[in-house]
């Protein structure tokens, strides 16, 4: 087996070349995806308009059932008041189960002796290759 050490500058050059290709493919994908989603939105609006004009909430077609459904999304413009409300009414379940990574890291740095129960942390080395400075 050939255990030749490849110089880091060569590895970095190959890595950056692959990164450039990934970026180009990602941009191409994102652009095409955006176009397709825009087309879907147009179709969705057209179906919604037709169904409202017909006064129906559901239509069976050969390609599937088209339905009008109510979907409500919630947000807040005043997070400080919302957090107080959550605490005051003990309704933490109104929030999604996700830890804000940057805030958790900062909290642990500022409070090293205060670790929330059940908290798991995983730290590993990550290799980053940045563009050379000119």
């Amino acid at each position: 087996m050939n255990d030749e050490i490849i110089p880091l500058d060569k590895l970095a050059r190959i890595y950056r070349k692959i990164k450039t290709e990934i970026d180009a493919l990602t941009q191409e994908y994102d652009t095409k995806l955006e176009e397709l989603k825009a087309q879907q939105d147009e179709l969705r609006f057209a179906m919604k308009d037709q169904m409202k004009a017909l006064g129906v909430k559901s239509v069976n077609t050969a390609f599937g059932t088209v339905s009008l459904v109510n979907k409500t999304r919630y947000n807040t413009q005043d997070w400080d008041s919302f957090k107080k409300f959550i605490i005051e009414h003990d309704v933490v379940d109104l929030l999604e189960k996700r830890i804000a990574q940057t805030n958790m890291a900062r909290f642990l740095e500022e409070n090293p002796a205060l670790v929330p129960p059940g908290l798991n942390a995983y730290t590993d080395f990550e290799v980053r290759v940045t563009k050379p400075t000119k």
Side-chain angles (χ1 to χ4, degrees):
M1 178 178 261
N2 186 0
D3 290 336
E4 177 186 340
I5 303 277
I6 302 171
L8 279 174
D9 63 338
K10 184 174 183 178
L11 292 173
R13 180 175 47 84
I14 295 167
Y15 183 94
R16 292 292 308 154
K17 184 178 179 183
I18 293 170
K19 171 82 167 85
T20 299
E21 192 171 338
I22 288 171
D23 289 348
L25 287 172
T26 301
Q27 181 60 47
E28 182 181 330
Y29 169 84
D30 288 346
T31 299
K32 183 65 176 174
L33 185 62
E34 197 174 300
E35 291 170 4
L36 291 172
K37 285 185 176 186
Q39 290 174 13
Q40 275 189 321
D41 285 344
E42 288 179 30
L43 294 168
R44 201 174 2 260
F45 294 138
M47 289 186 285
K48 181 178 166 184
D49 290 345
Q50 284 188 34
M51 292 176 73
K52 281 186 167 185
L54 293 170
V56 295
K57 297 246 183 207
S58 178
V59 175
N60 292 324
T61 75
F63 299 97
T65 303
V66 181
S67 305
L68 282 179
V69 294
N70 288 327
K71 183 176 181 178
T72 305
R73 310 266 312 156
Y74 302 96
N75 61 46
T76 182
Q77 294 176 3
D78 184 354
W79 276 104
D80 290 334
S81 295
F82 191 77
K83 287 188 276 187
K84 289 176 186 170
F85 178 89
I86 295 284
I87 293 167
E88 179 183 334
H89 296 282
D90 192 26
V91 287
V92 177
D93 290 339
L94 296 181
L95 302 172
E96 292 185 354
K97 294 181 182 181
R98 187 174 69 116
I99 296 172
Q101 299 300 305
T102 303
N103 294 347
M104 187 79 250
R106 186 180 315 115
F107 175 84
L108 292 172
E109 284 175 16
E110 294 170 359
N111 304 281
L114 189 59
V115 178
L119 179 69
N120 295 312
Y122 174 77
T123 302
D124 195 7
F125 285 105
E126 180 179 283
V127 174
R128 292 185 183 167
V129 179
T130 57
K131 293 180 187 177
T133 57
K134 295 183 181 187

PDB file of all heavy atoms in Angstrom, residues 52-73:
ATOM      1  N   LYS A  52     -62.393  28.980  -4.953  1.00  0.00           N
ATOM      2  CA  LYS A  52     -63.188  30.025  -4.302  1.00  0.00           C
ATOM      3  C   LYS A  52     -64.331  30.458  -5.218  1.00  0.00           C
ATOM      4  O   LYS A  52     -65.455  30.652  -4.763  1.00  0.00           O
ATOM      5  CB  LYS A  52     -62.311  31.223  -3.932  1.00  0.00           C
ATOM      6  CG  LYS A  52     -61.495  31.000  -2.680  1.00  0.00           C
ATOM      7  CD  LYS A  52     -60.754  32.282  -2.293  1.00  0.00           C
ATOM      8  CE  LYS A  52     -60.203  32.157  -0.901  1.00  0.00           C
ATOM      9  NZ  LYS A  52     -59.593  33.403  -0.444  1.00  0.00           N
ATOM     10  N   ALA A  53     -64.042  30.600  -6.519  1.00  0.00           N
ATOM     11  CA  ALA A  53     -65.078  30.992  -7.481  1.00  0.00           C
ATOM     12  C   ALA A  53     -66.176  29.938  -7.558  1.00  0.00           C
ATOM     13  O   ALA A  53     -67.356  30.270  -7.715  1.00  0.00           O
ATOM     14  CB  ALA A  53     -64.459  31.216  -8.860  1.00  0.00           C
ATOM     15  N   LEU A  54     -65.792  28.665  -7.419  1.00  0.00           N
ATOM     16  CA  LEU A  54     -66.771  27.575  -7.469  1.00  0.00           C
ATOM     17  C   LEU A  54     -67.462  27.376  -6.120  1.00  0.00           C
ATOM     18  O   LEU A  54     -68.460  26.664  -6.029  1.00  0.00           O
ATOM     19  CB  LEU A  54     -66.092  26.259  -7.888  1.00  0.00           C
ATOM     20  CG  LEU A  54     -65.560  26.203  -9.314  1.00  0.00           C
ATOM     21  CD1 LEU A  54     -64.709  24.949  -9.503  1.00  0.00           C
ATOM     22  CD2 LEU A  54     -66.719  26.222 -10.311  1.00  0.00           C
ATOM     23  N   GLY A  55     -66.904  27.956  -5.063  1.00  0.00           N
ATOM     24  CA  GLY A  55     -67.476  27.799  -3.727  1.00  0.00           C
ATOM     25  C   GLY A  55     -67.273  26.409  -3.154  1.00  0.00           C
ATOM     26  O   GLY A  55     -68.114  25.910  -2.413  1.00  0.00           O
ATOM     27  N   VAL A  56     -66.139  25.783  -3.501  1.00  0.00           N
ATOM     28  CA  VAL A  56     -65.876  24.426  -2.996  1.00  0.00           C
ATOM     29  C   VAL A  56     -64.602  24.426  -2.157  1.00  0.00           C
ATOM     30  O   VAL A  56     -63.735  25.283  -2.303  1.00  0.00           O
ATOM     31  CB  VAL A  56     -65.742  23.405  -4.152  1.00  0.00           C
ATOM     32  CG1 VAL A  56     -67.059  23.268  -4.897  1.00  0.00           C
ATOM     33  CG2 VAL A  56     -64.616  23.777  -5.098  1.00  0.00           C
ATOM     34  N   LYS A  57     -64.512  23.433  -1.260  1.00  0.00           N
ATOM     35  CA  LYS A  57     -63.321  23.303  -0.410  1.00  0.00           C
ATOM     36  C   LYS A  57     -62.453  22.126  -0.829  1.00  0.00           C
ATOM     37  O   LYS A  57     -61.325  21.988  -0.366  1.00  0.00           O
ATOM     38  CB  LYS A  57     -63.738  23.112   1.051  1.00  0.00           C
ATOM     39  CG  LYS A  57     -64.494  24.276   1.629  1.00  0.00           C
ATOM     40  CD  LYS A  57     -63.685  24.898   2.696  1.00  0.00           C
ATOM     41  CE  LYS A  57     -64.495  26.034   3.312  1.00  0.00           C
ATOM     42  NZ  LYS A  57     -63.677  27.042   3.857  1.00  0.00           N
ATOM     43  N   SER A  58     -62.994  21.255  -1.704  1.00  0.00           N
ATOM     44  CA  SER A  58     -62.256  20.075  -2.109  1.00  0.00           C
ATOM     45  C   SER A  58     -62.725  19.642  -3.496  1.00  0.00           C
ATOM     46  O   SER A  58     -63.919  19.684  -3.793  1.00  0.00           O
ATOM     47  CB  SER A  58     -62.507  18.953  -1.089  1.00  0.00           C
ATOM     48  OG  SER A  58     -61.842  17.773  -1.467  1.00  0.00           O
ATOM     49  N   VAL A  59     -61.759  19.234  -4.325  1.00  0.00           N
ATOM     50  CA  VAL A  59     -62.083  18.744  -5.667  1.00  0.00           C
ATOM     51  C   VAL A  59     -61.220  17.521  -5.945  1.00  0.00           C
ATOM     52  O   VAL A  59     -59.998  17.567  -5.770  1.00  0.00           O
ATOM     53  CB  VAL A  59     -61.798  19.825  -6.744  1.00  0.00           C
ATOM     54  CG1 VAL A  59     -62.012  19.254  -8.133  1.00  0.00           C
ATOM     55  CG2 VAL A  59     -62.649  21.051  -6.527  1.00  0.00           C
ATOM     56  N   ASN A  60     -61.869  16.425  -6.367  1.00  0.00           N
ATOM     57  CA  ASN A  60     -61.128  15.228  -6.744  1.00  0.00           C
ATOM     58  C   ASN A  60     -60.745  15.335  -8.213  1.00  0.00           C
ATOM     59  O   ASN A  60     -61.578  15.677  -9.049  1.00  0.00           O
ATOM     60  CB  ASN A  60     -61.974  13.969  -6.525  1.00  0.00           C
ATOM     61  CG  ASN A  60     -62.223  13.702  -5.056  1.00  0.00           C
ATOM     62  OD1 ASN A  60     -61.350  13.943  -4.227  1.00  0.00           O
ATOM     63  ND2 ASN A  60     -63.396  13.209  -4.734  1.00  0.00           N
ATOM     64  N   THR A  61     -59.475  15.090  -8.508  1.00  0.00           N
ATOM     65  CA  THR A  61     -59.021  15.072  -9.897  1.00  0.00           C
ATOM     66  C   THR A  61     -58.331  13.732 -10.141  1.00  0.00           C
ATOM     67  O   THR A  61     -58.078  12.972  -9.197  1.00  0.00           O
ATOM     68  CB  THR A  61     -58.009  16.206 -10.193  1.00  0.00           C
ATOM     69  OG1 THR A  61     -56.748  15.864  -9.620  1.00  0.00           O
ATOM     70  CG2 THR A  61     -58.496  17.541  -9.670  1.00  0.00           C
ATOM     71  N   ALA A  62     -58.017  13.451 -11.383  1.00  0.00           N
ATOM     72  CA  ALA A  62     -57.312  12.217 -11.719  1.00  0.00           C
ATOM     73  C   ALA A  62     -55.903  12.200 -11.127  1.00  0.00           C
ATOM     74  O   ALA A  62     -55.280  11.144 -11.002  1.00  0.00           O
ATOM     75  CB  ALA A  62     -57.253  12.058 -13.236  1.00  0.00           C
ATOM     76  N   PHE A  63     -55.394  13.385 -10.749  1.00  0.00           N
ATOM     77  CA  PHE A  63     -54.021  13.487 -10.238  1.00  0.00           C
ATOM     78  C   PHE A  63     -53.955  13.750  -8.742  1.00  0.00           C
ATOM     79  O   PHE A  63     -52.884  14.015  -8.205  1.00  0.00           O
ATOM     80  CB  PHE A  63     -53.269  14.584 -11.001  1.00  0.00           C
ATOM     81  CG  PHE A  63     -53.180  14.289 -12.464  1.00  0.00           C
ATOM     82  CD1 PHE A  63     -54.078  14.856 -13.344  1.00  0.00           C
ATOM     83  CD2 PHE A  63     -52.238  13.403 -12.949  1.00  0.00           C
ATOM     84  CE1 PHE A  63     -54.020  14.572 -14.705  1.00  0.00           C
ATOM     85  CE2 PHE A  63     -52.165  13.107 -14.301  1.00  0.00           C
ATOM     86  CZ  PHE A  63     -53.066  13.690 -15.181  1.00  0.00           C
ATOM     87  N   GLY A  64     -55.095  13.698  -8.076  1.00  0.00           N
ATOM     88  CA  GLY A  64     -55.122  13.895  -6.638  1.00  0.00           C
ATOM     89  C   GLY A  64     -56.236  14.830  -6.231  1.00  0.00           C
ATOM     90  O   GLY A  64     -56.868  15.472  -7.068  1.00  0.00           O
ATOM     91  N   THR A  65     -56.493  14.873  -4.951  1.00  0.00           N
ATOM     92  CA  THR A  65     -57.529  15.730  -4.404  1.00  0.00           C
ATOM     93  C   THR A  65     -56.931  17.091  -4.067  1.00  0.00           C
ATOM     94  O   THR A  65     -55.901  17.181  -3.401  1.00  0.00           O
ATOM     95  CB  THR A  65     -58.130  15.102  -3.127  1.00  0.00           C
ATOM     96  OG1 THR A  65     -58.621  13.802  -3.451  1.00  0.00           O
ATOM     97  CG2 THR A  65     -59.250  15.951  -2.566  1.00  0.00           C
ATOM     98  N   VAL A  66     -57.582  18.133  -4.562  1.00  0.00           N
ATOM     99  CA  VAL A  66     -57.158  19.502  -4.271  1.00  0.00           C
ATOM    100  C   VAL A  66     -58.049  20.009  -3.153  1.00  0.00           C
ATOM    101  O   VAL A  66     -59.275  19.979  -3.278  1.00  0.00           O
ATOM    102  CB  VAL A  66     -57.285  20.401  -5.520  1.00  0.00           C
ATOM    103  CG1 VAL A  66     -56.812  21.810  -5.201  1.00  0.00           C
ATOM    104  CG2 VAL A  66     -56.496  19.817  -6.687  1.00  0.00           C
ATOM    105  N   SER A  67     -57.444  20.455  -2.056  1.00  0.00           N
ATOM    106  CA  SER A  67     -58.218  20.896  -0.904  1.00  0.00           C
ATOM    107  C   SER A  67     -57.808  22.293  -0.468  1.00  0.00           C
ATOM    108  O   SER A  67     -56.635  22.652  -0.538  1.00  0.00           O
ATOM    109  CB  SER A  67     -58.000  19.952   0.285  1.00  0.00           C
ATOM    110  OG  SER A  67     -58.290  18.622  -0.051  1.00  0.00           O
ATOM    111  N   LEU A  68     -58.776  23.054  -0.007  1.00  0.00           N
ATOM    112  CA  LEU A  68     -58.503  24.335   0.645  1.00  0.00           C
ATOM    113  C   LEU A  68     -58.524  24.065   2.140  1.00  0.00           C
ATOM    114  O   LEU A  68     -59.526  23.613   2.673  1.00  0.00           O
ATOM    115  CB  LEU A  68     -59.576  25.367   0.306  1.00  0.00           C
ATOM    116  CG  LEU A  68     -59.513  26.047  -1.041  1.00  0.00           C
ATOM    117  CD1 LEU A  68     -60.688  27.014  -1.191  1.00  0.00           C
ATOM    118  CD2 LEU A  68     -58.212  26.800  -1.219  1.00  0.00           C
ATOM    119  N   VAL A  69     -57.433  24.338   2.798  1.00  0.00           N
ATOM    120  CA  VAL A  69     -57.365  24.131   4.249  1.00  0.00           C
ATOM    121  C   VAL A  69     -56.857  25.408   4.900  1.00  0.00           C
ATOM    122  O   VAL A  69     -56.069  26.145   4.321  1.00  0.00           O
ATOM    123  CB  VAL A  69     -56.445  22.949   4.633  1.00  0.00           C
ATOM    124  CG1 VAL A  69     -57.025  21.634   4.148  1.00  0.00           C
ATOM    125  CG2 VAL A  69     -55.041  23.130   4.091  1.00  0.00           C
ATOM    126  N   ASN A  70     -57.344  25.670   6.092  1.00  0.00           N
ATOM    127  CA  ASN A  70     -56.861  26.822   6.852  1.00  0.00           C
ATOM    128  C   ASN A  70     -55.562  26.436   7.550  1.00  0.00           C
ATOM    129  O   ASN A  70     -55.461  25.379   8.163  1.00  0.00           O
ATOM    130  CB  ASN A  70     -57.884  27.246   7.919  1.00  0.00           C
ATOM    131  CG  ASN A  70     -59.091  27.908   7.305  1.00  0.00           C
ATOM    132  OD1 ASN A  70     -58.979  28.592   6.296  1.00  0.00           O
ATOM    133  ND2 ASN A  70     -60.253  27.703   7.897  1.00  0.00           N
ATOM    134  N   LYS A  71     -54.590  27.296   7.432  1.00  0.00           N
ATOM    135  CA  LYS A  71     -53.316  27.077   8.117  1.00  0.00           C
ATOM    136  C   LYS A  71     -52.950  28.367   8.819  1.00  0.00           C
ATOM    137  O   LYS A  71     -52.805  29.410   8.188  1.00  0.00           O
ATOM    138  CB  LYS A  71     -52.221  26.693   7.122  1.00  0.00           C
ATOM    139  CG  LYS A  71     -50.899  26.388   7.790  1.00  0.00           C
ATOM    140  CD  LYS A  71     -49.866  25.913   6.792  1.00  0.00           C
ATOM    141  CE  LYS A  71     -48.563  25.600   7.495  1.00  0.00           C
ATOM    142  NZ  LYS A  71     -47.569  25.090   6.569  1.00  0.00           N
ATOM    143  N   THR A  72     -52.832  28.302  10.122  1.00  0.00           N
ATOM    144  CA  THR A  72     -52.497  29.483  10.914  1.00  0.00           C
ATOM    145  C   THR A  72     -51.068  29.353  11.411  1.00  0.00           C
ATOM    146  O   THR A  72     -50.687  28.312  11.945  1.00  0.00           O
ATOM    147  CB  THR A  72     -53.457  29.619  12.110  1.00  0.00           C
ATOM    148  OG1 THR A  72     -54.797  29.635  11.622  1.00  0.00           O
ATOM    149  CG2 THR A  72     -53.173  30.874  12.903  1.00  0.00           C
ATOM    150  N   ARG A  73     -50.280  30.394  11.228  1.00  0.00           N
ATOM    151  CA  ARG A  73     -48.917  30.447  11.721  1.00  0.00           C
ATOM    152  C   ARG A  73     -48.847  31.564  12.773  1.00  0.00           C
ATOM    153  O   ARG A  73     -49.491  32.587  12.611  1.00  0.00           O
ATOM    154  CB  ARG A  73     -47.931  30.760  10.587  1.00  0.00           C
ATOM    155  CG  ARG A  73     -48.071  29.901   9.368  1.00  0.00           C
ATOM    156  CD  ARG A  73     -47.209  28.704   9.280  1.00  0.00           C
ATOM    157  NE  ARG A  73     -45.824  28.960   9.573  1.00  0.00           N
ATOM    158  CZ  ARG A  73     -45.013  27.997   9.999  1.00  0.00           C
ATOM    159  NH1 ARG A  73     -45.455  26.789  10.179  1.00  0.00           N
ATOM    160  NH2 ARG A  73     -43.755  28.254  10.253  1.00  0.00           N
TER     161      ARG A  73
END
